[in-house]
Amino acid sequence: MKIQKIQTLRGPNYWSIRRHKLIVMRLELEDLANRTSAQIPGFYEGLTSVLPSLIEHYCSPGCRGGFLQRVREGTMMGHIVEHVALELQQLAGMPMGFGRTRETSTPGTYQVVIEYQNEQAGRYAARAGVRLCQSIVNTGTYPPEELAQDIKDLQEFAAAASLGPSTETIIKEAEARGIPWMQLNARFMIQLGYGINQKRIQATLSDRTCILGVELACDKEGTKSILRDAGVPVPKGTVIHYLDQLQDAIADVGGYPIVIKPLDGNHGRGITIDINSWEEAEEAYDLASAASKTKSIIIERYYTGRDHRVLVVNGQVVAVAERVPAHVTGDGKSTVEALIEEVNRDPQRGDGHDNVLTRITIDKLALDLLKKQGYAMESVPPKGKVVFLRATANLSTGGIAVDRTDEIHPENLWLCSRVAKIIGLDIAGIDIVTADIAQPLRSVNGVIVEVNAAPGFRMHVAPSQGLPRNVAGAVLDMLFPGAQPSRIPILAVTGTNGKTTTNRLLAHIIKQTGQTVGYTTTDGTYIGEYLVESGDNTGPQSAHLILSDPTVEVAVLETARGGILRSGLGFEQCDVGVVLNVAADHLGIGDIDTVEQLATLKSVLAESVMPKGYAVLNADDPLVAKMATRVKAQVAYFSMNPDSELVAKHTAAGGLAAVYEHGYLSILKGDWTLRIEQAVNVPLTMGGRAPFMIANALAACLAAFAQGVKIEHIRAALSSFQASVGQTPGRMNLFNLGTYHALVDYAHNPHSYEALGSFVRNWPGLHIGVVGGPGDRRDEDFVTLGKLSAGIFDRIIVKEDADRRGRPVGSAAQLICQGIKEALNSQGSGQPQGAAPTVEYESILDETTAVNKALDNAPPGSLVVILPESVSGALSLIEARKPIKDARITQVIPSQLPTSETVKASMVNQG
């Protein structure tokens, strides 16, 4: 078997709208293409021996063991690889249940799709699945040590990518509330929400957390000083920097017992408590000094009692946990070592902070503490005897947590809320030592020993005993209080043709409302009036740029086929999704071989519109109109046909639509009609002469109206938006070059050629076309472009793109010329309409040379239509030409469009 390609999807996609995290592997089965599993000797036995847990996979029979039944009866290897890859993730602690396997149009080549939790792990599992199956085919087995290594590698990928238990708790709560999130590429920051409504967190620090509060909390002695001055009970203590200051410091705090810890420590590192002798004090000083970067050591009076962590969020206590140091309880039979091993077998325990509990490890501190209690690792404690293995109660050293939220005394609630405000923290973890948290601290000699910024949530979310507390909910209530939104409106546009123009017009309409619009197009990413990044930015990366920008109030996102196919949508849901049309283009690329498959791909956008939003669909395109049956949102149709039966039925039922009727762009709903503007007054439509531009305008107006934009804003936008270099570069840019005109348009597929032809054929005078197409299109697509060109132009220059996308030099031009020749030869048979036998054509492969020849030889009154690879290059060539009577080139507005009379006059004047 051969892996041809692996892709990672991260949003709604061709395979699933709900499951965003998918790996897509293109797998060539090679010599296994014509053999099922039943035809491979010993394969079933080898697979079940290596992975007996596959018995849990149901598959098509719908019962336990269903998949293995398919293997026994005979199924293709791609299907088996899918299940093996999922099972490897399951064994590594990442249970995933979604997978698909489909044969492509290339026989023996399959697309294998598996769900993942972690990207790297998912890609690894896909490759390991192929490796494992190939090994069983070849040898009948897969070495146990290799399987163990695969699982270990997968676990390491997951651990390396983990965001930490506190962050993941907040993310899960955000997902439950429908708050979108994304990971930023710096300092482990997470963005919650989109655009101007976003908030950011880093672990349990928020963008509301005061830096002064964090700095003060990190200064443990400074914290105590501030609290002591505020009348808060804190331990008596001092800070020293040298060992020879230790004896005086012990005297200053009132003698033994004492606590020694680093000033800049955390997670219990370098802390020794209940010190009762000079020898212990010296050793504790060395330990604290080794854990401190500043070599500043705190000496405190030791207070007896139980250790508690109180979590305060936004000035309110939301959880209280008693922390019990790592320990074992004797059973009268087992050694301390055996008891530790038994405790560590708890599946909730693991290494680091990612599990509910942390494994207990034995080091010098643990051995010294054992010795202090009169035990060693070989000792057998009496039944019921608690033997402590750590002096401090941190969960990171194996401790456990017991929820005490419902037990804390009201005065202690008030005190903790006050302490968080004194220090200046929106989220604070307050450490209290007290004999009884249900009593006021002063009445039981309790003290606040520390205040922590960025406190961990693990002990509250998953306590060893007691109720879990939804502390993440309190954080999100603080960040998004009341009805404050987390999202910004997202309006997205897809289709085969017209996406950029429609997207730009829609952004222009939204701008009339005074909001800051971020929008993406094939020529760049924009925020407000400014270009942020140039390029073909119609994929998820550009969408993320817009959605992560804190100045953006509305996102208008052009969404191309390629981005959806390669990575999925760049957002989970949108408010308005526009599908303009679906026509043959890019077929044969990415295993999208038919127009129907392309429609399924485009429908991903429509299906991702939220239920209260609108899917704006082209009623004149059957493939687009059909998408209405698959969406969960409200549907709005646009149509160039005022008598459309689909629109009539839809509006009669109270639905929303936009139609072109009696020369007007109009909104329909129920029995009322709202006329926006006459097409002749909309510059984009070239005085109403460009039907495809009218359709684009209808779609943009309908999308804006569905989003709640006022009609006066829509009307103002229509009157001020033109098919100009500034507003729609490369989209119907018409120039007056004195004696003739030039039109630059990015038409590059049959559908767009047909749309362009509807405008060009109405132009009085000679039509000259500089034509071509992207090299990765099918041969038959180039032939079709040639046929269509013959029906549009009187003279044709065929050129090629500089980036031929793997196609041999001259191949594309030859196929287009073939199409022109076929069209001319078929004249008289009605295919295609309008083709003239006198059409002149030639091939000039270099685009610049071809454009210059067309412009140099344009007769008076003619129209030169340039369909370039490089829009900017074509525009530069036009700008370099000076008209005979004018020192500058002017772009034509609709009222200046020539008529047959003006063309004749021009030809007479030129002799």
Side-chain angles (χ1 to χ4, degrees), residues 287-317:
L287 182 67
S289 182
S292 173
K293 294 180 181 179
T294 64
K295 305 304 178 185
S296 300
I297 309 302
I298 296 175
I299 314 300
E300 281 182 350
R301 181 74 178 173
Y302 176 64
Y303 290 79
T304 59
R306 292 181 289 175
D307 187 303
H308 297 81
R309 165 63 63 85
V310 179
L311 181 64
V312 179
V313 177
N314 200 28
Q316 300 295 318
V317 173

PDB file of all heavy atoms in Angstrom, residues 287-317:
ATOM      1  N   LEU A 287      17.280  23.193  50.337  1.00  0.00           N
ATOM      2  CA  LEU A 287      16.253  22.752  49.397  1.00  0.00           C
ATOM      3  C   LEU A 287      15.523  23.943  48.788  1.00  0.00           C
ATOM      4  O   LEU A 287      15.296  24.006  47.574  1.00  0.00           O
ATOM      5  CB  LEU A 287      15.259  21.836  50.115  1.00  0.00           C
ATOM      6  CG  LEU A 287      14.134  21.238  49.258  1.00  0.00           C
ATOM      7  CD1 LEU A 287      14.715  20.251  48.253  1.00  0.00           C
ATOM      8  CD2 LEU A 287      13.108  20.536  50.145  1.00  0.00           C
ATOM      9  N   ALA A 288      15.157  24.926  49.604  1.00  0.00           N
ATOM     10  CA  ALA A 288      14.457  26.108  49.121  1.00  0.00           C
ATOM     11  C   ALA A 288      15.352  26.940  48.213  1.00  0.00           C
ATOM     12  O   ALA A 288      14.918  27.462  47.174  1.00  0.00           O
ATOM     13  CB  ALA A 288      13.963  26.948  50.294  1.00  0.00           C
ATOM     14  N   SER A 289      16.613  27.048  48.568  1.00  0.00           N
ATOM     15  CA  SER A 289      17.553  27.832  47.772  1.00  0.00           C
ATOM     16  C   SER A 289      17.741  27.214  46.392  1.00  0.00           C
ATOM     17  O   SER A 289      17.832  27.923  45.382  1.00  0.00           O
ATOM     18  CB  SER A 289      18.899  27.927  48.502  1.00  0.00           C
ATOM     19  OG  SER A 289      19.804  28.721  47.771  1.00  0.00           O
ATOM     20  N   ALA A 290      17.766  25.892  46.327  1.00  0.00           N
ATOM     21  CA  ALA A 290      17.936  25.205  45.047  1.00  0.00           C
ATOM     22  C   ALA A 290      16.733  25.406  44.138  1.00  0.00           C
ATOM     23  O   ALA A 290      16.862  25.374  42.905  1.00  0.00           O
ATOM     24  CB  ALA A 290      18.163  23.717  45.282  1.00  0.00           C
ATOM     25  N   ALA A 291      15.559  25.631  44.722  1.00  0.00           N
ATOM     26  CA  ALA A 291      14.335  25.806  43.939  1.00  0.00           C
ATOM     27  C   ALA A 291      14.053  27.262  43.603  1.00  0.00           C
ATOM     28  O   ALA A 291      13.058  27.566  42.937  1.00  0.00           O
ATOM     29  CB  ALA A 291      13.137  25.217  44.691  1.00  0.00           C
ATOM     30  N   SER A 292      14.911  28.181  44.072  1.00  0.00           N
ATOM     31  CA  SER A 292      14.654  29.606  43.896  1.00  0.00           C
ATOM     32  C   SER A 292      15.633  30.221  42.901  1.00  0.00           C
ATOM     33  O   SER A 292      16.837  29.982  42.971  1.00  0.00           O
ATOM     34  CB  SER A 292      14.773  30.332  45.242  1.00  0.00           C
ATOM     35  OG  SER A 292      14.685  31.730  45.058  1.00  0.00           O
ATOM     36  N   LYS A 293      15.104  31.015  41.983  1.00  0.00           N
ATOM     37  CA  LYS A 293      15.975  31.736  41.057  1.00  0.00           C
ATOM     38  C   LYS A 293      16.587  32.959  41.717  1.00  0.00           C
ATOM     39  O   LYS A 293      17.703  33.364  41.394  1.00  0.00           O
ATOM     40  CB  LYS A 293      15.168  32.172  39.825  1.00  0.00           C
ATOM     41  CG  LYS A 293      14.680  31.019  38.967  1.00  0.00           C
ATOM     42  CD  LYS A 293      13.881  31.538  37.774  1.00  0.00           C
ATOM     43  CE  LYS A 293      13.364  30.382  36.912  1.00  0.00           C
ATOM     44  NZ  LYS A 293      12.557  30.861  35.769  1.00  0.00           N
ATOM     45  N   THR A 294      15.852  33.560  42.653  1.00  0.00           N
ATOM     46  CA  THR A 294      16.317  34.791  43.294  1.00  0.00           C
ATOM     47  C   THR A 294      17.124  34.551  44.558  1.00  0.00           C
ATOM     48  O   THR A 294      17.739  35.473  45.085  1.00  0.00           O
ATOM     49  CB  THR A 294      15.107  35.671  43.659  1.00  0.00           C
ATOM     50  OG1 THR A 294      14.311  34.988  44.640  1.00  0.00           O
ATOM     51  CG2 THR A 294      14.253  35.964  42.438  1.00  0.00           C
ATOM     52  N   LYS A 295      17.099  33.294  45.044  1.00  0.00           N
ATOM     53  CA  LYS A 295      17.768  32.921  46.303  1.00  0.00           C
ATOM     54  C   LYS A 295      17.210  33.712  47.485  1.00  0.00           C
ATOM     55  O   LYS A 295      17.902  33.960  48.475  1.00  0.00           O
ATOM     56  CB  LYS A 295      19.287  33.129  46.211  1.00  0.00           C
ATOM     57  CG  LYS A 295      19.940  32.395  45.035  1.00  0.00           C
ATOM     58  CD  LYS A 295      19.654  30.906  45.049  1.00  0.00           C
ATOM     59  CE  LYS A 295      20.270  30.189  43.855  1.00  0.00           C
ATOM     60  NZ  LYS A 295      19.899  28.757  43.786  1.00  0.00           N
ATOM     61  N   SER A 296      15.941  34.093  47.343  1.00  0.00           N
ATOM     62  CA  SER A 296      15.246  34.764  48.435  1.00  0.00           C
ATOM     63  C   SER A 296      14.362  33.727  49.120  1.00  0.00           C
ATOM     64  O   SER A 296      13.515  33.111  48.475  1.00  0.00           O
ATOM     65  CB  SER A 296      14.395  35.926  47.901  1.00  0.00           C
ATOM     66  OG  SER A 296      15.210  36.873  47.238  1.00  0.00           O
ATOM     67  N   ILE A 297      14.556  33.549  50.427  1.00  0.00           N
ATOM     68  CA  ILE A 297      13.917  32.461  51.157  1.00  0.00           C
ATOM     69  C   ILE A 297      13.009  33.020  52.249  1.00  0.00           C
ATOM     70  O   ILE A 297      13.411  33.913  53.005  1.00  0.00           O
ATOM     71  CB  ILE A 297      14.976  31.532  51.784  1.00  0.00           C
ATOM     72  CG1 ILE A 297      16.013  31.105  50.731  1.00  0.00           C
ATOM     73  CG2 ILE A 297      14.314  30.331  52.431  1.00  0.00           C
ATOM     74  CD1 ILE A 297      15.438  30.394  49.533  1.00  0.00           C
ATOM     75  N   ILE A 298      11.774  32.469  52.304  1.00  0.00           N
ATOM     76  CA  ILE A 298      10.812  32.884  53.328  1.00  0.00           C
ATOM     77  C   ILE A 298      10.926  31.959  54.546  1.00  0.00           C
ATOM     78  O   ILE A 298      10.939  30.737  54.408  1.00  0.00           O
ATOM     79  CB  ILE A 298       9.378  32.836  52.793  1.00  0.00           C
ATOM     80  CG1 ILE A 298       9.193  33.853  51.652  1.00  0.00           C
ATOM     81  CG2 ILE A 298       8.359  33.098  53.888  1.00  0.00           C
ATOM     82  CD1 ILE A 298       7.830  33.783  50.985  1.00  0.00           C
ATOM     83  N   ILE A 299      10.988  32.567  55.716  1.00  0.00           N
ATOM     84  CA  ILE A 299      10.927  31.838  56.988  1.00  0.00           C
ATOM     85  C   ILE A 299       9.625  32.241  57.666  1.00  0.00           C
ATOM     86  O   ILE A 299       9.391  33.421  57.927  1.00  0.00           O
ATOM     87  CB  ILE A 299      12.115  32.186  57.909  1.00  0.00           C
ATOM     88  CG1 ILE A 299      13.448  32.155  57.134  1.00  0.00           C
ATOM     89  CG2 ILE A 299      12.140  31.264  59.117  1.00  0.00           C
ATOM     90  CD1 ILE A 299      13.775  30.821  56.526  1.00  0.00           C
ATOM     91  N   GLU A 300       8.743  31.262  57.944  1.00  0.00           N
ATOM     92  CA  GLU A 300       7.439  31.546  58.519  1.00  0.00           C
ATOM     93  C   GLU A 300       7.188  30.674  59.744  1.00  0.00           C
ATOM     94  O   GLU A 300       7.725  29.565  59.846  1.00  0.00           O
ATOM     95  CB  GLU A 300       6.312  31.257  57.502  1.00  0.00           C
ATOM     96  CG  GLU A 300       6.115  32.318  56.469  1.00  0.00           C
ATOM     97  CD  GLU A 300       4.958  31.970  55.528  1.00  0.00           C
ATOM     98  OE1 GLU A 300       4.461  30.821  55.587  1.00  0.00           O
ATOM     99  OE2 GLU A 300       4.574  32.830  54.754  1.00  0.00           O
ATOM    100  N   ARG A 301       6.345  31.198  60.563  1.00  0.00           N
ATOM    101  CA  ARG A 301       5.826  30.402  61.676  1.00  0.00           C
ATOM    102  C   ARG A 301       4.927  29.305  61.106  1.00  0.00           C
ATOM    103  O   ARG A 301       4.151  29.541  60.185  1.00  0.00           O
ATOM    104  CB  ARG A 301       5.013  31.303  62.607  1.00  0.00           C
ATOM    105  CG  ARG A 301       4.440  30.603  63.817  1.00  0.00           C
ATOM    106  CD  ARG A 301       5.485  30.303  64.850  1.00  0.00           C
ATOM    107  NE  ARG A 301       4.930  29.662  66.031  1.00  0.00           N
ATOM    108  CZ  ARG A 301       5.638  29.179  67.023  1.00  0.00           C
ATOM    109  NH1 ARG A 301       6.986  29.283  66.975  1.00  0.00           N
ATOM    110  NH2 ARG A 301       5.075  28.624  68.061  1.00  0.00           N
ATOM    111  N   TYR A 302       5.051  28.087  61.597  1.00  0.00           N
ATOM    112  CA  TYR A 302       4.220  26.976  61.116  1.00  0.00           C
ATOM    113  C   TYR A 302       2.939  26.910  61.937  1.00  0.00           C
ATOM    114  O   TYR A 302       2.960  26.901  63.161  1.00  0.00           O
ATOM    115  CB  TYR A 302       4.990  25.661  61.243  1.00  0.00           C
ATOM    116  CG  TYR A 302       4.164  24.452  60.866  1.00  0.00           C
ATOM    117  CD1 TYR A 302       3.698  24.277  59.568  1.00  0.00           C
ATOM    118  CD2 TYR A 302       3.841  23.477  61.816  1.00  0.00           C
ATOM    119  CE1 TYR A 302       2.940  23.169  59.226  1.00  0.00           C
ATOM    120  CE2 TYR A 302       3.081  22.366  61.479  1.00  0.00           C
ATOM    121  CZ  TYR A 302       2.628  22.222  60.177  1.00  0.00           C
ATOM    122  OH  TYR A 302       1.875  21.132  59.837  1.00  0.00           O
ATOM    123  N   TYR A 303       1.832  26.877  61.198  1.00  0.00           N
ATOM    124  CA  TYR A 303       0.525  26.800  61.851  1.00  0.00           C
ATOM    125  C   TYR A 303      -0.068  25.427  61.572  1.00  0.00           C
ATOM    126  O   TYR A 303      -0.108  24.969  60.419  1.00  0.00           O
ATOM    127  CB  TYR A 303      -0.410  27.889  61.307  1.00  0.00           C
ATOM    128  CG  TYR A 303      -0.014  29.274  61.747  1.00  0.00           C
ATOM    129  CD1 TYR A 303       1.024  29.951  61.109  1.00  0.00           C
ATOM    130  CD2 TYR A 303      -0.660  29.893  62.814  1.00  0.00           C
ATOM    131  CE1 TYR A 303       1.399  31.221  61.513  1.00  0.00           C
ATOM    132  CE2 TYR A 303      -0.284  31.168  63.225  1.00  0.00           C
ATOM    133  CZ  TYR A 303       0.742  31.817  62.586  1.00  0.00           C
ATOM    134  OH  TYR A 303       1.121  33.078  63.003  1.00  0.00           O
ATOM    135  N   THR A 304      -0.523  24.794  62.608  1.00  0.00           N
ATOM    136  CA  THR A 304      -1.131  23.472  62.437  1.00  0.00           C
ATOM    137  C   THR A 304      -2.570  23.626  61.975  1.00  0.00           C
ATOM    138  O   THR A 304      -3.235  24.619  62.259  1.00  0.00           O
ATOM    139  CB  THR A 304      -1.102  22.686  63.757  1.00  0.00           C
ATOM    140  OG1 THR A 304      -1.809  23.434  64.749  1.00  0.00           O
ATOM    141  CG2 THR A 304       0.325  22.439  64.198  1.00  0.00           C
ATOM    142  N   GLY A 305      -3.021  22.652  61.246  1.00  0.00           N
ATOM    143  CA  GLY A 305      -4.389  22.675  60.721  1.00  0.00           C
ATOM    144  C   GLY A 305      -4.420  22.000  59.369  1.00  0.00           C
ATOM    145  O   GLY A 305      -3.426  21.445  58.890  1.00  0.00           O
ATOM    146  N   ARG A 306      -5.566  22.062  58.748  1.00  0.00           N
ATOM    147  CA  ARG A 306      -5.742  21.432  57.441  1.00  0.00           C
ATOM    148  C   ARG A 306      -5.586  22.484  56.347  1.00  0.00           C
ATOM    149  O   ARG A 306      -5.952  23.640  56.518  1.00  0.00           O
ATOM    150  CB  ARG A 306      -7.105  20.748  57.363  1.00  0.00           C
ATOM    151  CG  ARG A 306      -7.197  19.533  58.284  1.00  0.00           C
ATOM    152  CD  ARG A 306      -8.538  18.841  58.175  1.00  0.00           C
ATOM    153  NE  ARG A 306      -9.613  19.644  58.766  1.00  0.00           N
ATOM    154  CZ  ARG A 306     -10.895  19.337  58.733  1.00  0.00           C
ATOM    155  NH1 ARG A 306     -11.279  18.235  58.096  1.00  0.00           N
ATOM    156  NH2 ARG A 306     -11.793  20.105  59.308  1.00  0.00           N
ATOM    157  N   ASP A 307      -5.063  22.003  55.203  1.00  0.00           N
ATOM    158  CA  ASP A 307      -4.744  22.888  54.081  1.00  0.00           C
ATOM    159  C   ASP A 307      -5.979  23.025  53.187  1.00  0.00           C
ATOM    160  O   ASP A 307      -6.557  22.023  52.756  1.00  0.00           O
ATOM    161  CB  ASP A 307      -3.578  22.274  53.291  1.00  0.00           C
ATOM    162  CG  ASP A 307      -3.068  23.197  52.220  1.00  0.00           C
ATOM    163  OD1 ASP A 307      -3.862  23.602  51.355  1.00  0.00           O
ATOM    164  OD2 ASP A 307      -1.860  23.500  52.226  1.00  0.00           O
ATOM    165  N   HIS A 308      -6.378  24.257  52.897  1.00  0.00           N
ATOM    166  CA  HIS A 308      -7.539  24.515  52.036  1.00  0.00           C
ATOM    167  C   HIS A 308      -7.170  25.473  50.919  1.00  0.00           C
ATOM    168  O   HIS A 308      -6.358  26.380  51.109  1.00  0.00           O
ATOM    169  CB  HIS A 308      -8.696  25.133  52.851  1.00  0.00           C
ATOM    170  CG  HIS A 308      -9.230  24.247  53.928  1.00  0.00           C
ATOM    171  ND1 HIS A 308      -8.609  24.123  55.157  1.00  0.00           N
ATOM    172  CD2 HIS A 308     -10.327  23.436  53.970  1.00  0.00           C
ATOM    173  CE1 HIS A 308      -9.292  23.285  55.912  1.00  0.00           C
ATOM    174  NE2 HIS A 308     -10.330  22.849  55.215  1.00  0.00           N
ATOM    175  N   ARG A 309      -7.786  25.258  49.764  1.00  0.00           N
ATOM    176  CA  ARG A 309      -7.682  26.202  48.643  1.00  0.00           C
ATOM    177  C   ARG A 309      -9.073  26.769  48.372  1.00  0.00           C
ATOM    178  O   ARG A 309     -10.027  26.031  48.147  1.00  0.00           O
ATOM    179  CB  ARG A 309      -7.137  25.502  47.397  1.00  0.00           C
ATOM    180  CG  ARG A 309      -7.309  26.271  46.090  1.00  0.00           C
ATOM    181  CD  ARG A 309      -6.553  27.611  46.038  1.00  0.00           C
ATOM    182  NE  ARG A 309      -5.129  27.458  46.131  1.00  0.00           N
ATOM    183  CZ  ARG A 309      -4.317  27.208  45.096  1.00  0.00           C
ATOM    184  NH1 ARG A 309      -4.826  27.041  43.897  1.00  0.00           N
ATOM    185  NH2 ARG A 309      -3.011  27.114  45.283  1.00  0.00           N
ATOM    186  N   VAL A 310      -9.165  28.092  48.418  1.00  0.00           N
ATOM    187  CA  VAL A 310     -10.414  28.785  48.147  1.00  0.00           C
ATOM    188  C   VAL A 310     -10.258  29.510  46.810  1.00  0.00           C
ATOM    189  O   VAL A 310      -9.328  30.299  46.636  1.00  0.00           O
ATOM    190  CB  VAL A 310     -10.755  29.788  49.265  1.00  0.00           C
ATOM    191  CG1 VAL A 310     -12.059  30.528  48.935  1.00  0.00           C
ATOM    192  CG2 VAL A 310     -10.858  29.084  50.604  1.00  0.00           C
ATOM    193  N   LEU A 311     -11.160  29.216  45.876  1.00  0.00           N
ATOM    194  CA  LEU A 311     -11.101  29.840  44.555  1.00  0.00           C
ATOM    195  C   LEU A 311     -12.092  30.990  44.491  1.00  0.00           C
ATOM    196  O   LEU A 311     -13.288  30.819  44.740  1.00  0.00           O
ATOM    197  CB  LEU A 311     -11.434  28.810  43.472  1.00  0.00           C
ATOM    198  CG  LEU A 311     -11.391  29.321  42.030  1.00  0.00           C
ATOM    199  CD1 LEU A 311      -9.986  29.761  41.639  1.00  0.00           C
ATOM    200  CD2 LEU A 311     -11.907  28.258  41.071  1.00  0.00           C
ATOM    201  N   VAL A 312     -11.567  32.165  44.171  1.00  0.00           N
ATOM    202  CA  VAL A 312     -12.385  33.378  44.049  1.00  0.00           C
ATOM    203  C   VAL A 312     -12.363  33.831  42.598  1.00  0.00           C
ATOM    204  O   VAL A 312     -11.287  33.990  42.003  1.00  0.00           O
ATOM    205  CB  VAL A 312     -11.864  34.502  44.961  1.00  0.00           C
ATOM    206  CG1 VAL A 312     -12.718  35.755  44.796  1.00  0.00           C
ATOM    207  CG2 VAL A 312     -11.856  34.050  46.411  1.00  0.00           C
ATOM    208  N   VAL A 313     -13.537  34.011  42.000  1.00  0.00           N
ATOM    209  CA  VAL A 313     -13.654  34.496  40.629  1.00  0.00           C
ATOM    210  C   VAL A 313     -14.562  35.714  40.626  1.00  0.00           C
ATOM    211  O   VAL A 313     -15.694  35.655  41.108  1.00  0.00           O
ATOM    212  CB  VAL A 313     -14.225  33.414  39.688  1.00  0.00           C
ATOM    213  CG1 VAL A 313     -14.398  33.969  38.277  1.00  0.00           C
ATOM    214  CG2 VAL A 313     -13.324  32.188  39.666  1.00  0.00           C
ATOM    215  N   ASN A 314     -14.024  36.818  40.103  1.00  0.00           N
ATOM    216  CA  ASN A 314     -14.800  38.058  40.001  1.00  0.00           C
ATOM    217  C   ASN A 314     -15.367  38.490  41.355  1.00  0.00           C
ATOM    218  O   ASN A 314     -16.503  38.943  41.458  1.00  0.00           O
ATOM    219  CB  ASN A 314     -15.930  37.883  38.985  1.00  0.00           C
ATOM    220  CG  ASN A 314     -16.464  39.212  38.479  1.00  0.00           C
ATOM    221  OD1 ASN A 314     -15.740  40.206  38.447  1.00  0.00           O
ATOM    222  ND2 ASN A 314     -17.721  39.233  38.077  1.00  0.00           N
ATOM    223  N   GLY A 315     -14.571  38.311  42.396  1.00  0.00           N
ATOM    224  CA  GLY A 315     -14.958  38.765  43.725  1.00  0.00           C
ATOM    225  C   GLY A 315     -15.864  37.830  44.484  1.00  0.00           C
ATOM    226  O   GLY A 315     -16.282  38.145  45.604  1.00  0.00           O
ATOM    227  N   GLN A 316     -16.166  36.638  43.935  1.00  0.00           N
ATOM    228  CA  GLN A 316     -17.052  35.696  44.605  1.00  0.00           C
ATOM    229  C   GLN A 316     -16.347  34.356  44.799  1.00  0.00           C
ATOM    230  O   GLN A 316     -15.667  33.863  43.898  1.00  0.00           O
ATOM    231  CB  GLN A 316     -18.319  35.473  43.775  1.00  0.00           C
ATOM    232  CG  GLN A 316     -19.133  36.738  43.538  1.00  0.00           C
ATOM    233  CD  GLN A 316     -19.710  37.302  44.816  1.00  0.00           C
ATOM    234  OE1 GLN A 316     -20.211  36.555  45.662  1.00  0.00           O
ATOM    235  NE2 GLN A 316     -19.659  38.614  44.960  1.00  0.00           N
ATOM    236  N   VAL A 317     -16.527  33.757  45.978  1.00  0.00           N
ATOM    237  CA  VAL A 317     -15.998  32.418  46.218  1.00  0.00           C
ATOM    238  C   VAL A 317     -16.846  31.421  45.441  1.00  0.00           C
ATOM    239  O   VAL A 317     -18.060  31.362  45.600  1.00  0.00           O
ATOM    240  CB  VAL A 317     -16.017  32.076  47.724  1.00  0.00           C
ATOM    241  CG1 VAL A 317     -15.625  30.611  47.934  1.00  0.00           C
ATOM    242  CG2 VAL A 317     -15.071  32.992  48.496  1.00  0.00           C
TER     243      VAL A 317
END
